């Protein structure tokens, strides 16, 4: 019954196609494919003409739902065979039938699926050969057909699959690999294989090519028995220990690549036992090999390429290198080779590349080098070579690259250098070369990079430079060049980097502006004069412009606003006038903006202000002398790590949005002398007393902040200080007397600060009391009156009591003591007179009780409330 339904479905599709119904014809071929499969899980149950094919399980369609782009039926428990009619799905990009139970062969017709990118048929029971037509799938990127029952040779046509991507194999190489006795080519590079190479791999006696590069394999290399091996690449793995391979046993080996491992020791002394070695390429770079140059390598007479770079080899280079007569590339860089370069190197007639940089080679460059007619590249930079550059070097007419950077070569550049017609890189920076540039250099018409900086070269630039039309980078800084630039330099249209800084060039800079491709122009510290040409703005990719310390005049061209990629802009120390063009606000990427020491006016463009926090890493600038960050939009706190900038003598952070307290660590910047300016921020807290350690400081400005507390007495130790500004904060207390010599404006805006040159602290305190509210005054008066009345009553009571007792005694003494009584009365009256005359009184806290001066009312008490004379000087009665 099911077969009948499927038959009717296929018949429906055929009729639909034949009758021209608007349904995808591809559904017919899909149903034909379904008819050859057994589907116990019912994955294909909805593959029915009653539904649009783009709704069927496992299918991916094009956006307009007219073509099938992908079939993914992986792990669907399908069995049966793959239909040879799938090739009709011409738009198919992905076919994934992996992890099923499919049998039969791989249909050769699949080679017609020209859009196929992924073919995944692994983990089935497919048999037969791999069809040659697979090689026709030019767009195939992923091919996985392993874990099947395929037989025969791998078809060579797979080599045509140039878009094929690598696998992603992981785990260990199985011991069972020895069963592949006829295996000739094993390539499993760029995977995630790990562990040791199994010893059983040494039994693959037919193996000719083994490539396991770029994995994570480790251990030793047990492959000495592979007598048919021609190419072995184990680079970029984790192999360690000594090299255990011997070319005497691997007689057919032509290429050995062990670079990028952790191999140690030296190259085995018996690596090449005879001159019959077939080894042509030996790459041992980027290991930890050590020792002297292994002389037995000279027996590898067929060697064409030898790379021992990035190891720990030492000692001199053997004079017998000439025995390697077929050697074309010698790379010994990044080692510790020393001694002179042997003159016999001139006999290596096949040598094309001599790479010896970053060693300790000394002595002269032998003139015999001139015999190397095939030499195209010579890199000797970062050595200790000296003497002159031999003129014979210019006989190497095949030279394209010369790099002698960082040596001690002296004398002049060879006059005959113009013979090197193929030269495109000339790097002679950081030597001790002198004399003028030979005019013949202008005839090296293919030259692209000329680096002659950091020498003692003098004179003017030769007019022949006009022929260097391919030049894109020229660096001549830190020499003694002089004079105006040849006008013909304007013909160099491909220049993008120019650095002529720290010379004595003069005249106009216009000859350098013929190129519209400049990315960096540095003419700092010369004597260029005249205006800045607006033509400079034609180089819209210009990112670094440094013209400081010249004699340039006129205005800054407003056209500079078009240089939107500019990040370093230095026109300082010139004679520029006029206003700063507001168009510079378009230069959003500027990070360094220097215009100081000119005669400019106007305001800074707003876009040229820094924002964000001052980074903690500022402390890494341990040689910093001047830090000027004022007038920006910086925020956050001042990092304490600035204390590491111990050589700084000028620090300006004013006119920002800095917050927090002044870090006490600033007191460790004892070389600060010119100024410490933290004004116009939002700093708070107290002024740290540690600032008193800055005894060299001449100017201190912390005005216009929110600083509190008293002015530290330690600041009096700043005896070099001639400008001080603490104004407009919330400081309080008495100023140290030594600050009286500073102007009043230095301290204004601190309401609670007193002492010369401000008002005295006594007057300040009086003003505070006068400032009492009416309610407070009334309260004080009431308290005084109440207290005075109470005391008066007490005293009155005491006086009355005394008088009463006296009268009682007096009465009781009448008749017998009259004379004595008069003496007592006279004594009392006398005492009272003396007290009145001397102003004596009895102190009761802050009050004084004195006898009344009112003779009319002797019983009245008058109290004087004496306040601190130093505060008010007033007396209430």
């Amino acid at each position: 019954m099911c077969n009948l339904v499927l038959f009717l479905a296929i018949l429906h599709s055929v009729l639909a196609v034949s009758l021209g119904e608007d349904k995808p014809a591809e559904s017919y071929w899909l149903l034909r494919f379904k008819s050859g499969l057994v589907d116990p899980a019912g994955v294909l149950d909805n593959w029915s003409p009653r539904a649009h094919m783009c709704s069927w399980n496992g299918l991916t369609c094009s956006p307009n739902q007219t073509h099938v782009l992908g079939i993914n039926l992986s792990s669907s428990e399908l069995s049966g065979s793959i239909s040879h009619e799938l090739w009709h799905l011409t738009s198919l990009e992905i076919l994934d039938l992996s992890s099923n139970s499919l049998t039969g062969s791989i249909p050769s017709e699949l080679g017609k699926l020209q859009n196929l990118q992924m073919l995944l048929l692994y983990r089935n029971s497919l048999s037969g050969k791999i069809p040659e037509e697979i090689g026709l799938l030019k767009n195939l990127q992923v091919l996985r057909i392993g874990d099947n029952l395929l037989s025969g040779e791998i078809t060579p046509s797979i080599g045509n699959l140039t878009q094929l991507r690598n696998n992603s194999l992981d785990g260990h190489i199985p011991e069972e690999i020895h069963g592949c006795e006829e295996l000739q080519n094993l390539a499993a590079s760029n995977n995630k294989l790990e562990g040791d190479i199994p010893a059983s791999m040494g039994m693959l006696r037919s193996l000719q090519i083994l490539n396991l590069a770029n994995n994570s394999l480790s251990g030793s290399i047990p492959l000495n028995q592979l007598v048919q091996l021609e190419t072995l690449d184990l680079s970029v793995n984790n192999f360690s220990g000594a090299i255990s391979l011997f070319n005497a046993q691997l007689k057919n080996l032509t290429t050995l690549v062990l670079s990028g491992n952790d191999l140690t020791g030296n190259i085995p002394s018996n690596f090449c036992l005879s001159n019959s070695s077939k080894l042509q390429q030996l790459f041992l770079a980027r290991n930890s090999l050590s020792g002297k140059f292994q002389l037995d390598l000279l027996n590898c007479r067929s060697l064409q390429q030898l790379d021992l770079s990035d190891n720990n080899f030492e000692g001199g280079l053997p004079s017998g290198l000439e025995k390697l007569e077929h050697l074309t590339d010698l790379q010994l860089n990044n080692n510790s080779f020393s001694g002179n370069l042997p003159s016999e190197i001139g006999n290596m007639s096949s040598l094309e590349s001599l790479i010896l940089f970053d060693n300790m080679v000394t002595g002269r460059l032998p003139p015999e080098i001139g015999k190397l007619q095939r030499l195209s590249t010579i890199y000797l930079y970062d050595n200790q070579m000296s003497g002159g550059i031999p003129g014979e070097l210019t006989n190497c007419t095949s030279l394209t690259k010369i790099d002698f950077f960082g040596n001690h070569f002296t004398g002049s550049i060879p006059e005959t250098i113009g013979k090197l017609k193929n030269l495109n890189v000339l790097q002679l920076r950081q030597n001790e070369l002198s004399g003028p540039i030979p005019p013949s250099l202008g005839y090296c018409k293919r030259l692209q990079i000329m680096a002659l900086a950091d020498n003692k070269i003098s004179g003017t630039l030769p007019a022949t430079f006009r022929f260097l039309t391919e030049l894109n980078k020229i660096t001549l800084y830190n020499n003694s060049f002089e004079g105006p630039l040849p006008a013909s330099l304007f013909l160099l249209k491909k220049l993008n980097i120019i650095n002529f800084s720290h010379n004595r060039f003069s005249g106009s800079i216009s000859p350098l502006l013929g190129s519209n491709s400049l990315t960096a122009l540095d003419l700092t510290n010369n004597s260029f004069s005249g205006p800045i040409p607006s033509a400079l703005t034609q180089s819209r990719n210009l990112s670094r412009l440094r013209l400081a310390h010249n004699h340039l005049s006129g205005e800054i061209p407003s056209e500079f606003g078009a240089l939107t990629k500019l990040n370093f802009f230095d026109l300082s120390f010139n004679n520029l006038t006029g206003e700063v063009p507001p168009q510079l606000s378009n230069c959003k990427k500027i990070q360094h903006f220097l215009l100081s020491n000119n005669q400019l006016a106007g305001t800074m463009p707003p876009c040229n202000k820094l924002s964000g926090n001052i980074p903690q890493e500022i402390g890494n600038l341990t040689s910093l002398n001047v830090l000027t960050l004022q007038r920006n939009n910086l925020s956050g706190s001042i990092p304490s790590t600035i204390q590491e900038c111990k050589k700084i003598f000028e620090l300006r952070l004013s006119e920002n949005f800095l917050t927090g307290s002044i870090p006490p660590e600033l007191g460790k910047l004892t070389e600060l002398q010119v100024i410490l300016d933290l004004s116009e921020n939002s700093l708070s807290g107290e002024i740290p007393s540690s600032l008193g350690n800055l005894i060299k400081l001449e100017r201190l400005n912390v005005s216009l902040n929110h600083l509190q507390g008293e002015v530290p007495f330690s600041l009096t130790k700043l005896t070099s200080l001639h400008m001080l500004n603490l104004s407009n904060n919330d400081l309080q207390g008495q100023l140290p007397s030594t600050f009286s010599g500073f102007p009043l404006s230095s301290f204004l805006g601190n309401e609670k600060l007193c002492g010369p040159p401000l008002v005295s602290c006594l007057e300040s305190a009086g003003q505070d009391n006068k400032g009492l509210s009416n309610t407070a005054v009334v309260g004080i008066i009431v308290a005084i009156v109440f207290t005075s009345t109470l005391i008066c009553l007490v005293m009155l009571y005491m006086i009355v009591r005394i008088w009463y007792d006296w009268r009682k005694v007096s009465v009781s003494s009448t008749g017998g003591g009259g004379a004595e009584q008069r003496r007592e009365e006279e004594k009392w009256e006398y005492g009272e007179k003396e007290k009145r005359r001397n102003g004596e009184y009895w102190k009761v806290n802050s009050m004084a009780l004195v006898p009344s001066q009112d003779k009319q009312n002797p019983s009245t008490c008058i109290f004087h409330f004496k306040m601190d004379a130093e505060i008010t000087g007033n007396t209430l009665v």
Side-chain angles (χ1 to χ4, degrees):
M1 181 63 179
C2 291
N3 289 335
L4 178 60
V5 172
L6 182 58
F7 171 75
L8 293 175
I10 295 174
L11 180 61
H12 181 275
S13 295
V14 173
L15 292 174
V17 174
S18 63
L19 295 175
E21 291 184 11
D22 189 19
K23 287 194 176 183
E26 293 182 355
S27 62
Y28 167 73
W29 306 113
L30 289 166
L31 292 171
R32 293 273 294 177
F33 169 47
K34 177 183 177 181
S35 67
L37 299 175
V38 177
D39 178 21
V43 175
L44 307 180
D45 283 353
N46 70 339
W47 282 35
S48 167
R50 294 189 293 271
H52 195 284
M53 69 173 182
C54 293
S55 66
W56 297 356
N57 290 336
L59 300 187
T60 302
C61 288
S62 60
N64 61 4
Q65 296 195 338
T66 58
H67 297 288
V68 175
L69 301 182
I71 299 176
N72 185 351
L73 296 173
S74 176
S75 302
S76 297
E77 302 181 27
L78 301 175
S79 59
S81 60
I82 302 174
S83 172
H84 66 279
E85 296 174 318
L86 281 178
W87 71 269
H88 290 286
L89 306 177
T90 55
S91 298
L92 197 63
E93 298 176 356
I94 298 174
L95 177 57
D96 186 357
L97 303 177
S98 61
S99 299
N100 283 291
S101 300
L102 300 176
T103 56
S105 62
I106 300 175
S108 60
E109 290 83 358
L110 293 182
K112 298 179 181 181
L113 296 173
Q114 292 297 299
N115 290 308
L116 199 63
Q117 299 176 19
M118 295 179 65
L119 178 57
L120 308 176
L121 304 177
Y122 63 92
R123 291 181 185 165
N124 279 287
S125 298
L126 299 171
S127 58
K129 296 181 178 181
I130 300 174
E132 184 179 352
E133 289 78 4
I134 289 291
L136 300 175
L137 302 174
K138 299 297 179 64
N139 291 308
L140 197 64
Q141 298 178 16
V142 178
L143 173 63
R144 297 190 64 183
I145 55 177
D147 285 326
N148 278 289
L149 303 175
L150 300 172
S151 59
E153 296 182 352
I154 298 176
T155 176
S157 66
I158 286 183
N160 298 326
L161 305 178
T162 56
Q163 301 299 315
L164 207 59
R165 297 203 303 257
N166 295 316
N167 296 312
S168 185
L169 302 176
D170 55 22
H172 293 70
I173 300 174
E175 288 281 350
E176 293 80 4
I177 197 169
H178 71 273
C180 305
E181 296 179 356
E182 303 300 320
L183 188 63
Q184 297 180 1
N185 186 341
L186 175 56
S189 61
N190 300 293
N191 281 288
K192 300 177 182 178
L193 298 174
E194 59 185 4
D196 295 353
I197 295 178
S200 60
M201 187 171 283
M203 301 171 64
L204 301 177
R205 302 301 174 86
S206 298
L207 198 62
Q208 298 176 11
I209 298 175
L210 176 58
N211 186 352
L212 299 176
N214 289 290
N215 280 285
S216 298
L217 298 169
S218 57
S220 58
I221 306 173
L223 302 175
N224 279 319
Q225 306 303 317
L226 301 179
V227 294
Q228 299 298 321
L229 199 63
E230 298 176 0
T231 299
L232 175 59
D233 189 348
L234 302 177
S235 60
V236 193
N237 277 283
N238 299 320
F239 294 110
S240 58
I243 298 174
S244 56
L245 294 171
F246 302 99
N247 189 235
Q249 293 170 273
L250 303 175
K251 295 181 179 180
N252 291 302
L253 195 65
T254 59
T255 300
L256 176 59
V257 187
L258 300 178
S259 302
N261 282 284
D262 194 25
L263 299 172
T264 56
N266 205 336
I267 300 169
S269 58
N270 54 353
F271 189 77
C272 288
L273 290 177
S274 65
N275 298 335
S276 61
S277 169
K278 296 181 180 179
L279 192 63
Q280 299 177 7
Q281 298 170 310
L282 177 60
F283 300 106
L284 302 177
R286 301 186 305 283
N287 278 285
S288 299
L289 299 171
S290 58
K292 296 184 178 181
F293 189 96
Q294 182 55 260
L295 294 178
D296 282 359
L297 282 179
L298 303 180
N299 294 325
C300 302
R301 299 296 177 86
S302 298
L303 266 182
Q304 298 176 11
Q305 295 175 297
L306 175 61
D307 187 355
L308 305 180
S309 62
D310 292 281
N311 279 286
N312 301 314
F313 290 112
E314 59 186 2
L317 297 177
S319 58
L321 281 174
E322 60 181 322
K323 295 179 181 179
L324 303 177
E325 56 184 350
H326 299 288
L327 199 65
T328 61
D329 298 284
L330 178 60
Q331 291 186 240
L332 305 177
N333 54 283
N334 294 95
N335 281 285
S336 297
F337 288 115
S338 57
N340 295 348
L341 195 62
S343 59
E344 289 83 358
I345 202 169
N347 298 326
M348 302 175 70
S349 57
S350 298
L351 199 62
E352 299 176 3
S353 178
L354 177 59
I355 313 296
L356 290 175
F357 66 84
D358 202 3
N359 278 284
M360 294 185 289
V361 179
T362 57
R364 298 168 57 251
L365 180 63
E368 289 82 1
I369 200 84
K371 296 190 294 182
L372 302 178
Q373 293 297 304
R374 296 184 180 181
L375 191 65
S376 64
T377 301
I378 180 169
Y379 285 170
L380 302 178
Y381 62 86
D382 283 328
N383 277 284
Q384 301 173 22
M385 301 187 73
S386 57
I389 298 175
E392 290 84 353
L393 180 65
T394 64
N395 294 329
C396 304
T397 53
S398 297
L399 272 172
T400 61
K401 297 178 178 65
I402 297 176
D403 193 339
F404 294 169
F405 165 85
N407 280 280
H408 304 289
F409 288 111
T410 57
S412 59
I413 300 172
E415 290 287 341
T416 54
I417 195 168
K419 294 164 60 177
L420 303 178
K421 305 297 184 183
N422 296 305
L423 195 65
N424 56 57
V425 175
L426 178 62
Q427 171 61 273
L428 302 177
R429 183 186 156 211
Q430 274 193 23
N431 280 281
E432 299 171 24
L433 299 171
S434 58
I437 295 177
S440 70
L441 181 57
Y443 301 122
C444 299
K445 297 183 180 180
R446 296 184 179 180
L447 197 62
Q448 299 176 16
I449 297 176
M450 182 195 299
L452 307 180
D454 295 310
N455 279 286
K456 302 175 183 178
I457 305 173
S458 58
T460 59
L461 299 187
T464 53
F465 270 23
R466 67 182 182 276
F467 300 122
L468 302 176
T469 55
E470 298 297 315
L471 198 64
N472 60 64
K473 178 179 180 180
I474 179 170
T475 57
L476 306 178
Y477 56 89
N478 288 336
N479 277 288
S480 298
F481 292 109
E482 59 186 5
L485 302 174
S488 58
L489 291 182
F490 195 81
L491 300 174
L492 307 184
K493 304 294 185 180
K494 294 185 178 181
L495 280 173
N496 56 59
I497 296 176
I498 301 174
N499 192 337
F500 287 3
S501 63
H502 299 277
N503 281 285
R504 296 195 293 271
F505 287 114
S506 59
S508 173
I509 67 174
S510 294
L512 297 175
L513 307 182
S515 171
N516 294 336
S517 305
L518 287 176
T519 59
L521 176 62
D522 191 344
L523 306 178
T524 307
N525 272 310
N526 279 282
S527 297
F528 288 111
S529 58
I532 300 175
S534 59
L536 182 58
T537 63
Q538 297 299 314
S539 293
R540 296 302 172 87
N541 290 319
L542 190 65
S543 61
R544 296 176 65 86
L545 177 60
R546 306 188 67 178
L547 304 178
H549 292 277
N550 280 285
H551 305 299
L552 299 171
S553 57
E555 298 185 350
I556 300 175
S558 60
E559 293 87 346
F560 275 4
L563 301 178
T564 56
K565 296 186 178 180
L566 206 60
N567 63 54
F568 201 116
F569 187 65
D570 187 0
L571 304 183
S572 60
F573 293 91
N574 278 286
N575 299 316
L576 300 173
T577 56
E579 294 193 354
V580 179
Q583 290 85 352
L584 286 175
S585 62
N586 297 326
C587 305
K588 307 291 187 183
K589 296 185 178 180
I590 286 185
Q591 299 178 4
H592 302 271
F593 191 84
L594 305 173
L595 299 177
S596 62
N597 294 85
N598 281 287
Q599 302 174 39
L600 298 168
T603 58
M604 293 285 288
C607 75
N608 297 314
K609 294 189 175 183
L610 301 175
S611 60
N613 296 343
I614 301 175
Q616 293 287 336
E617 291 77 7
I618 193 79
N620 295 335
L621 304 177
T622 54
S623 299
L624 190 66
N625 295 135
V626 177
L627 179 59
T628 302
L629 297 174
Q630 76 266 32
R631 300 188 188 96
N632 282 291
N633 294 326
L634 297 172
S635 57
S637 59
I638 301 172
S640 60
T641 53
I642 202 170
Q643 65 178 305
E644 302 300 329
C645 304
K646 298 186 183 302
K647 295 183 180 180
I648 197 167
F649 58 77
E650 181 175 345
L651 178 57
R652 300 175 187 263
L653 303 178
S654 60
E655 298 180 56
N656 281 286
F657 299 96
L658 299 173
T659 56
S661 60
I662 299 174
E665 290 82 2
L666 287 182
K668 297 182 179 180
L669 302 178
T670 54
E671 294 301 314
L672 265 178
Q673 178 178 352
V674 176
I675 192 172
L676 171 58
D677 190 353
L678 307 179
S679 61
E680 296 189 52
N681 281 286
S682 297
L683 298 171
S684 57
E686 298 184 352
I687 299 174
S689 60
S690 61
L691 295 188
N693 298 327
L694 307 179
I695 57 176
K696 295 182 180 180
L697 193 63
E698 298 175 354
R699 291 182 289 173
L700 174 61
N701 190 350
V702 294
S703 63
L704 292 161
N705 280 286
H706 305 297
L707 300 174
Q708 301 170 337
E710 296 186 353
V711 177
F713 186 77
S714 62
L715 295 187
T716 60
K717 295 189 295 184
L718 304 181
T719 54
S720 300
L721 207 63
H722 60 76
M723 193 283 283
L724 175 65
N725 195 344
L726 308 180
S727 64
N728 295 289
N729 280 286
D730 297 316
L731 300 171
Q732 61 184 18
Q734 185 169 354
L735 284 169
S737 59
T738 54
F739 287 175
S740 60
F742 289 106
L744 182 66
S745 59
S746 296
F747 310 104
L748 292 177
N750 295 280
E751 294 183 1
K752 298 182 180 180
L753 202 60
C754 62
L758 299 172
V759 297
S760 70
C761 292
L762 290 176
E763 294 178 9
S764 177
Q767 291 170 0
D768 289 345
N769 282 304
K770 288 180 180 179
L772 293 174
S773 65
N774 293 335
T775 303
V777 171
V778 171
I780 292 173
I781 293 174
V782 169
I784 292 173
V785 171
F786 175 78
T787 305
S788 300
T789 304
L790 181 62
I791 294 175
C792 184
L793 290 173
V794 172
M795 297 304 295
L796 181 60
Y797 169 76
M798 293 174 65
I799 292 172
V800 171
R801 181 63 182 268
I802 293 171
W803 179 82
Y804 173 77
D805 290 342
W806 177 77
R807 288 293 296 169
K808 185 177 180 180
V809 171
S810 177
V811 171
S812 62
S813 302
T814 301
E820 184 67 24
Q821 178 181 350
R822 282 195 296 271
R823 283 196 295 271
E824 289 294 329
E825 289 178 352
E826 290 174 0
K827 184 178 179 181
W828 174 263
E829 291 176 357
Y830 174 79
E832 292 298 317
K833 291 178 182 178
E834 284 296 307
K835 289 173 183 177
R836 286 197 296 268
R837 185 166 56 248
N838 296 329
E840 293 181 13
Y841 54 87
W842 295 280
K843 289 185 178 180
V844 181
N845 292 331
S846 61
M847 301 178 187
L849 172 65
V850 298
S852 173
Q853 303 298 312
D854 191 353
K855 295 181 179 180
Q856 303 297 323
N857 190 6
S859 65
T860 302
C861 291
I862 299 176
F863 295 92
H864 292 268
F865 182 73
K866 292 183 65 68
M867 301 181 69
D868 189 347
E870 294 183 355
I871 300 178
T872 65
N874 292 327
T875 302
L876 295 177
V877 180

